Amino acid sequence: MELSNSTLSSVAGLQVVVCVVFTLIFLVGMLGNSLVIWIILCNIKQQFSTVMLILNLAVADFTVLITLPFWIYSFADGWVFGAPFCNVLLYVVHCSMYASVFFITAMSIERFVAVLYPFAIQKWWRRGTIGKLTIGIWVSAFLFAVPVIDQKATHVEHPQCSLLLSSYRQQKGLIVLETLVGFVIPFLVLSICYALVAKRILKMTLQSKSKSMKVIRSVVIAFAVCWLLYHIINLLTVSSILTKTSSPEVSKMLLNISERVENLAGALAVTNSCINPILYAFAARRFQNGFNTSGIAKLFQQLNISIAEKFSNESNIRRDNFQTSV
């Protein structure tokens, strides 16, 4: 009986910790992302590509955070909202996750093009390419999340709403898709972009270029740190499935490991949705002392200005080279 009471006590303690952590993430993230959306929509008159991508990233993160109260309640007192709503919530979370990852990747590609090919970014902006890219990202996120809304795949388990698939093959397919599209491929793209940009940025002296890169680099690093453990858990789950027949003991061990750190991985993943506004606030502090809306607005203005400066600088260099040659 003592062991049973001890076990129940530890489970209850874990539930309290999880609920407190997710509540803090919800409060900080909702406030931060709401502030970012409000500042960009109300204080930034001309929104260039980087700021547009930041705006959509904030919307995606905001959408993830809206679902947190339901997960907090399920941790505290079990899932009472029914299977259909569980299905909808899982779809919204996965859709927002893909959108967030895609917008972070797009920000890195946009910086790569803006630094190495400034005239191309100007053409893209004039033709409305960034708007089309934004629509494309949201549509892609909706489509990649479609496997989650399979009614047969969703099951409500006490005390949580969880996604249980009808076969191990289906489970492996969904996890591999999520890991490749949601982390591995985007991270490779990010790494390649920054490796190429790093060579070029060393030759540049404009302050706004450096600040622009630092802001987006911080967002990318936060993405890698927050999502890495989550996808490691995914790989452990796949490994557990693959070794279920050949090595049952190894399979069980891997499954136990993934279950023990599942809550931590989930907390880190959701933290990514609230950490970006904090990074903007720290970056804005370099412009003026204190954390306030005017500082963040000035930061976004600088990100806008950086594109105009790139274009102007490249134009001047080409004009000077032409005059010299003549």
Side-chain angles (χ1 to χ4, degrees):
M1 180 67 77
E2 278 183 30
L3 182 61
S4 178
N5 289 337
S6 175
T7 302
L8 289 173
S9 178
S10 62
V11 171
L14 179 61
Q15 286 179 330
V16 171
V17 171
V18 169
C19 290
V20 170
V21 170
F22 276 91
T23 300
L24 290 174
I25 291 173
F26 171 75
L27 294 174
V28 174
M30 289 293 286
L31 176 63
N33 285 293
S34 298
L35 188 63
V36 168
I37 294 170
W38 177 75
I39 289 174
I40 293 178
L41 292 178
C42 299
N43 294 276
I44 310 299
K45 294 181 180 179
Q46 190 173 11
Q47 298 164 10
F48 283 107
S49 51
T50 302
V51 174
M52 281 290 293
L53 294 174
I54 289 175
L55 172 63
N56 282 274
L57 175 61
V59 171
D61 291 339
F62 183 88
T63 306
V64 172
L65 294 167
I66 287 176
T67 69
L68 272 186
F70 300 102
W71 302 118
I72 294 170
Y73 187 91
S74 72
F75 277 119
D77 198 34
W79 185 262
V80 296
F81 305 104
F85 189 65
C86 169
N87 213 320
V88 170
L89 223 57
L90 287 170
Y91 177 74
V92 170
V93 169
H94 281 75
C95 179
S96 301
M97 176 199 75
Y98 282 120
S100 180
V101 172
F102 294 163
F103 279 115
I104 290 173
T105 306
M107 285 167 62
S108 299
I109 295 173
E110 185 271 343
R111 287 293 90 182
F112 164 76
V113 175
V115 171
L116 272 70
Y117 308 101
F119 283 92
I121 202 69
Q122 286 286 324
K123 286 182 180 179
W124 287 4
W125 181 253
R126 291 194 190 107
R127 294 174 183 174
T129 306
I130 296 299
K132 295 175 183 177
L133 174 64
T134 299
I135 295 173
I137 287 176
W138 280 111
V139 171
S140 299
F142 294 148
L143 294 177
F144 277 115
V146 164
V148 177
I149 64 175
D150 181 5
Q151 292 291 338
K152 296 179 181 179
T154 304
H155 179 70
V156 179
E157 244 187 3
H158 184 82
Q160 296 182 37
C161 162
S162 60
L163 184 67
L164 297 179
L165 304 182
S166 56
S167 67
Y168 287 129
R169 183 178 181 181
Q170 191 178 5
Q171 188 175 7
K172 285 188 295 184
L174 186 59
I175 290 175
V176 170
L177 174 69
E178 187 177 284
T179 302
L180 285 177
V181 178
F183 187 79
V184 175
I185 295 175
F187 192 72
L188 286 175
V189 173
L190 298 177
S191 301
I192 292 171
C193 285
Y194 278 101
L196 296 173
V197 168
K199 295 180 180 179
R200 182 68 182 271
I201 205 73
L202 294 174
K203 301 177 183 179
M204 298 181 174
T205 57
L206 285 177
Q207 188 180 18
S208 61
K209 292 177 181 178
S210 177
K211 288 177 179 176
S212 173
M213 287 303 300
K214 285 179 181 178
V215 171
I216 298 170
R217 184 176 60 209
S218 298
V219 172
V220 171
I221 292 174
F223 156 73
V225 171
C226 291
W227 281 104
L228 181 60
L229 183 60
Y230 176 86
H231 290 288
I232 289 177
I233 298 302
N234 273 350
L235 294 177
L236 288 176
T237 303
V238 171
S239 300
S240 175
I241 294 171
L242 293 175
T243 58
K244 195 173 184 66
T245 303
S246 59
S247 304
E249 292 183 0
V250 174
S251 175
K252 186 176 180 180
M253 180 189 68
L254 293 174
L255 187 60
N256 287 335
I257 293 173
S258 63
E259 287 177 349
R260 287 183 179 182
V261 294
E262 184 179 8
N263 288 330
L264 176 59
L268 276 174
V270 177
T271 300
N272 188 235
S273 295
C274 82
I275 202 171
N276 292 331
I278 298 174
L279 296 176
Y280 303 144
F282 273 106
R285 196 176 186 183
R286 297 172 185 172
F287 290 97
Q288 58 189 62
N289 294 326
F291 298 97
N292 50 52
T293 57
S294 62
I296 300 176
K298 189 173 181 181
L299 169 66
F300 292 151
Q301 291 284 10
Q302 282 295 98
L303 292 178
N304 268 341
I305 292 170
S306 67
I307 293 180
E309 287 180 341
K310 290 179 180 66
F311 181 71
S312 177
N313 188 53
E314 294 286 342
S315 298
N316 292 336
I317 291 174
R318 292 191 179 189
R319 186 181 64 250
D320 292 342
N321 290 340
F322 175 76
Q323 291 176 349
T324 302
S325 62
V326 173

